[in-house]
Amino acid sequence: METVRVTTGEGETTETELYWGYNVNIWRGDGDVVRLVDAEGQVVMEHGYGDMEGTESDGGTGDETADTDDETDNETDGDTQSTVDGELEIHHIDVGQGDSTLIITPANETVLIDSGDWRQDGSAVIDYLEAQGIDRIDHLVATHADADHIGGHAAVIEHFERTGEGIGAAYDSGVPSDSATYNNYLDAVDEHDVELLLVERGDELPIEGDVSTQVLHPPAETGSDVNENSIVLAFEFGDFEYVTTGDIDTDVEQQLVEELGSDLEGGVYKVGHHGSSTSSSEALLDTMAPETAIISSAYDSQYGHPNDVVLERFVERDIETYWTGVHGDIVVRTDGTATAVETEESFSTAPEDILEETPDADETTSRLPPSPLVAGDVASGIDGAVAPALG
Amino acid sequence: MDGTYTGVVDRIEDGEIAVILLEEDGQVIEQLDVAADRLPEPARTDGGVLSVTLEDGEIVSMEYRPETTRDRRESTQEKLDRLSKRLSDREE
């Protein structure tokens, strides 16, 4: 009787040892079956995960037996996917018309994704973090350089570097903005020697413990468009999945759907671009198949966020919907199996009720001009029309 | 609010509303939301730095500043390059 040793890991294949060359745990859960097949495609033997005896098939030559080596056994002993320790918290801070999300990991690391609009200069975010007793941001992410996402970055860096334990590292898409807001953020990074890291698809944020954070976008070679190159992150903790897409538009969503497919699946979707019609395409929603959607925008968003079209898509798919405009701060807590959402204000989470609550499209259009500072009727170098109606 | 300010097109929301940030001494002091088709070219498609003149709080002119736009983009890119490295190149 000959013995052949089959290993999922890497090594040099010999007459009696076969290596599959995977450097990740591939042999890890119920339902995984290894089949040994001869040159004619005949199954020689079958071995299910957890079934230590193995099952010899009737056909085939029958003079080979499979064995597992130490490496494979170690994988067998490893945790299954859903057993993780502790609790993951995701706080969607109500910053009005902007974005800011605080994640607290079971290992007690903090991740701040965006920091609100420039007008708040970080104050809403800093107050919220202080109330949580947080004195350090381990990972500060700028999904992209717009002033409603990085508006508090400089102030947050200054605050935690001066009065707290500082910033572990900052992460950026690498596509700069012309604004003073962006420039001030870079100056704060410079002044306080914050490690600034550019991320691209395939990276994983170096977060401790059982939380995995994959960077799905942007690609290594970005163009110059700030929104299109937003950082897209997929968090996984046990069975819990959370995807946040910055301000990417439907073209980029389509690209991700085509290239990533089921890797995009996520139970909780942090809605792209504040619920704008530029994002949350049907293709994205059908691939991601979220059960819960979370929108961050002002109740009286001057840009008409969230858009009715997007909310109607949520209605069609029966997606539980949260909106900072009505719910205030929205906190998702999970132990990797069960997930609970707490909100500052109580309001229905049925998307049709949110749809009912947002101004309809006509009202939104009539809002322009939104401030007394627009629409001069004497204009040079520009079209002299007074605030043309949009639609 | 009166006078001529440096204004930067921060973004265009949903292809319709341009968000212009007015600056004084390197700080943003005000935001103007205007119909995107009121922007001078090439800011309408590519953003950039403008001279924005206000009278009684209303825009009376917006002028695109190509050299300032180019200089600012170069210096910001240089700063970003100097301060950053790729996560995948990090040694730890």
Side-chain angles (χ1 to χ4, degrees), chain A residues 73-372:
Chain A
D73 285 342
N74 284 342
E75 289 184 16
T76 306
D77 294 336
D79 287 342
T80 57
Q81 279 171 289
S82 58
T83 53
V84 287
D85 291 325
E87 195 176 67
L88 178 72
E89 297 175 15
I90 306 180
H91 300 244
H92 305 84
I93 306 169
D94 178 12
V95 291
Q97 185 62 34
D99 257 18
S100 184
T101 308
L102 166 71
I103 298 180
I104 305 174
T105 73
N108 233 9
E109 280 198 318
T110 53
V111 185
L112 184 70
I113 305 173
D114 295 339
S115 58
D117 188 58
W118 72 272
R119 276 176 282 212
Q120 294 177 340
D121 197 21
S123 59
V125 176
I126 292 168
D127 289 350
Y128 191 95
L129 267 58
E130 296 240 291
Q132 296 289 320
I134 288 165
D135 63 358
R136 173 186 166 85
I137 297 171
D138 296 293
H139 311 276
L140 174 65
V141 179
T143 59
H144 63 293
D146 285 352
D148 55 337
H149 289 257
I150 59 149
H153 262 55
V156 163
I157 292 170
E158 295 277 336
H159 177 84
F160 288 98
E161 287 287 340
R162 283 188 204 283
T163 67
E165 298 294 314
I167 308 292
Y171 305 86
D172 196 282
S173 68
V175 180
S177 160
D178 301 326
S179 74
T181 307
Y182 185 79
N183 209 43
N184 292 341
Y185 145 56
L186 289 187
D187 286 345
V189 164
D190 197 7
E191 191 185 338
H192 297 284
D193 281 325
V194 175
E195 186 177 28
L196 181 60
L197 300 164
L198 307 185
V199 300
E200 64 191 60
R201 179 185 299 177
D203 285 344
E204 177 163 0
L205 297 196
I207 291 174
E208 283 179 31
D210 292 328
V211 180
S212 113
T213 311
Q214 301 291 332
V215 178
L216 304 185
H217 194 74
E221 293 297 320
T222 60
S224 61
D225 189 284
V226 170
N227 281 2
E228 280 176 21
N229 292 291
S230 291
I231 296 175
V232 176
L233 297 174
F235 291 82
E236 216 175 301
F237 177 61
D239 294 334
F240 174 83
E241 291 170 313
Y242 174 87
V243 180
T244 176
T245 61
D247 277 4
I248 63 166
D249 65 14
T250 52
D251 288 345
V252 177
E253 288 175 358
Q254 184 62 37
Q255 202 184 313
L256 293 180
V257 164
E258 284 166 17
E259 290 168 11
L260 299 170
S262 62
D263 285 351
L264 264 181
E265 275 173 27
V268 181
Y269 169 44
K270 164 63 184 41
V271 178
H273 201 178
H274 322 283
S276 163
S277 60
T278 60
S279 308
S280 303
S281 58
E282 301 207 328
L284 181 83
L285 295 176
D286 289 338
T287 303
M288 189 186 292
E291 289 163 20
T292 304
I294 297 171
I295 303 164
S296 181
S297 66
Y299 180 76
D300 55 352
S301 163
Q302 65 265 49
Y303 313 118
H305 299 156
N307 192 280
D308 289 358
V309 173
V310 169
L311 290 170
E312 279 157 12
R313 286 177 197 147
F314 293 174
V315 172
E316 284 162 24
R317 289 162 182 80
D318 199 19
I319 299 171
E320 180 185 43
T321 305
Y322 292 86
W323 176 31
T324 57
V326 291
H327 291 109
D329 303 319
I330 299 160
V331 183
V332 178
R333 290 177 208 277
T334 179
D335 62 3
T337 308
T339 299
V341 185
E342 287 167 26
T343 62
E344 184 187 12
E345 307 291 339
S346 61
F347 194 87
S348 167
T349 58
E352 51 270 33
D353 293 333
I354 308 273
L355 181 60
E356 183 68 25
E357 189 69 13
T358 57
D360 65 32
D362 291 344
E363 285 175 57
T364 305
T365 303
S366 70
R367 285 187 179 174
L368 203 83
S371 85

Side-chain angles (χ1 to χ4, degrees), chain B residues 33-88:
Chain B
D33 288 2
V34 307
D37 57 10
R38 292 189 66 206
L39 290 175
E41 284 292 1
R44 210 176 291 184
T45 46
D46 190 35
V49 185
L50 312 171
S51 280
V52 180
T53 303
L54 303 175
E55 270 177 32
D56 298 329
E58 297 204 340
I59 297 172
V60 293
S61 76
M62 289 191 277
E63 194 184 327
Y64 182 69
R65 288 163 60 188
E67 277 170 32
T68 315
T69 301
R70 196 177 59 235
D71 291 351
R72 186 177 288 215
R73 284 180 183 173
E74 272 177 22
S75 72
T76 306
Q77 188 66 54
E78 275 168 22
K79 197 183 287 183
L80 177 60
D81 291 345
R82 174 170 63 81
L83 295 173
S84 68
K85 60 173 176 279
R86 298 226 147 250
L87 173 59
S88 47

